[in-house]
Amino acid sequence: MEKKPLIAGNWKMHKTIGEAKNFLHELLPNISEASAQIFIAPPYTALAKCADLTSGTKVQIGAQNMSESQEGPFTGEISARMLKEAGARFVILGHSERREHYHESNQVIHRKLKRALHEQLLAILCVGETENQYEAGHSEKVVFSQLDECLKDLQADQLPSLVIAYEPIWAIGTGKTATPETAQKIHRLIRTYMAKSFGNELAEKLYILYGGSVKPENAALLLEKPDIDGALVGGASLKPEVFEQIINKVSP
Ligand code: PGA
């Protein structure tokens, strides 16, 4: 069965509640015909409002991060249960900015992933190599070791709500996109890795998104590739007229 493309917007630390409201007000009427699945991850503060405003539409709301713990004395943290109550359906885990600025290791991401899956939140697990690793020809090795450590001990039946996002760090926010061919090559390797580890059925159904400077000009070319099932979009998800173009260009 054809997979519907999945376009996920990651707003990062952008938009107040008021700005989020204005964004959705402009976006929603223009995507009502789109066949793509649409995800948006606003900041925590705007999550409940966005979930309210998108209820009954094609857009699903999720979070950009969450705590690995269920609850407790963890100042500043947000739990899976809190996110779900606020209307989150998914959570982005292991984004390279969390790995770099907040020192999240694969072990931490592994624990967050287990927590998210246990709480029935769909998890978008981000993997990807740095520019130096890419230039040294180590992309595959780096991505496989991230997958090994983040998916350790998990079984196929725990992973139906896993999405993987391949985001080469050198392409995030830089305007340098991986060519569709380079991205496809790594996506294929990820799918093959997942088939070997968790079986063909899971690997075939698995959504593998590409992220890193996706914009209206390159989205369709990337998504044309057989193993690229969607996109995780940062900068280009911040303006409704730009995000809408991406969604409509990949919605046949
Ligand atoms: P970008 O970010 O689209 O701005 O490159 C992608 C991401 O960080 O997920």
Side-chain angles (χ1 to χ4, degrees):
M1 209 179 69
E2 258 306 274
K3 284 182 192 156
K4 286 186 184 170
L6 168 50
I7 302 297
N10 171 13
W11 285 354
K12 308 190 179 180
M13 199 173 74
H14 295 282
K15 296 198 192 297
T16 61
I17 296 175
E19 288 162 350
K21 245 166 90 175
N22 292 342
F23 176 99
L24 291 173
H25 189 70
E26 279 193 47
L27 181 80
L28 292 175
N30 295 325
I31 52 159
S32 53
E33 301 297 312
S35 58
Q37 305 177 68
I38 304 159
F39 284 12
I40 294 179
Y44 293 133
T45 45
L47 204 151
K49 187 70 186 175
C50 288
D52 270 359
L53 292 172
T54 54
S55 142
T57 74
K58 291 179 188 300
V59 178
Q60 303 226 29
I61 298 297
Q64 301 170 18
N65 178 35
M66 59 164 232
S67 170
E68 66 186 72
S69 301
Q70 192 173 6
E71 66 178 350
F74 303 108
T75 302
E77 290 291 291
I78 306 273
S79 73
R81 213 158 59 87
M82 294 167 187
L83 292 177
K84 284 202 320 191
E85 190 199 35
R89 296 281 167 271
F90 70 93
V91 60
I92 299 171
L93 295 176
H95 190 279
S96 62
E97 288 154 15
R98 303 274 340 151
R99 293 175 185 263
E100 185 188 343
H101 304 308
Y102 304 99
H103 313 293
E104 281 191 15
S105 62
N106 287 322
Q107 288 67 34
V108 168
I109 297 159
H110 167 67
R111 293 197 292 271
K112 290 188 176 192
L113 180 63
K114 277 177 67 172
R115 173 72 55 200
L117 297 172
H118 179 76
E119 298 284 349
Q120 271 128 31
L121 266 178
L122 181 145
I124 303 182
L125 169 65
C126 302
V127 294
E129 78 286 5
T130 62
E131 185 149 32
N132 285 344
Q133 292 164 333
Y134 171 68
E135 276 167 8
H138 293 157
S139 309
E140 177 180 341
K141 195 172 95 188
V142 171
V143 168
F144 283 2
S145 82
Q146 289 170 332
L147 290 173
D148 276 344
E149 292 179 26
C150 293
L151 299 175
K152 188 169 69 102
D153 303 334
L154 289 162
Q155 309 299 324
D157 61 359
Q158 293 172 281
L159 299 177
S161 50
L162 174 73
V163 169
I164 293 178
Y166 168 60
E167 300 207 299
I169 296 170
W170 47 272
I172 297 180
T174 58
K176 291 190 209 167
T177 327
T179 62
E181 291 68 33
T182 308
Q184 162 60 23
K185 189 177 133 212
I186 304 287
H187 280 237
R188 182 77 229 157
L189 289 167
I190 293 175
R191 202 176 302 282
T192 308
Y193 170 102
M194 292 301 286
K196 277 198 198 129
S197 309
F198 300 102
N200 285 334
E201 196 187 330
L202 181 133
E204 282 311 313
K205 285 191 185 146
L206 177 73
Y207 271 76
I208 309 178
L209 313 182
Y210 170 77
S213 298
V214 174
K215 36 188 186 271
E217 296 75 37
N218 59 20
L221 290 171
L222 285 158
L223 268 79
E224 244 169 51
K225 295 291 175 196
D227 289 294
I228 304 183
D229 304 311
L232 182 53
V233 186
S237 72
L238 293 174
K239 290 203 174 124
E241 68 280 13
V242 179
F243 195 47
E244 175 232 308
Q245 279 186 55
I246 296 179
I247 293 163
N248 286 321
K249 285 205 169 165
V250 304
S251 291

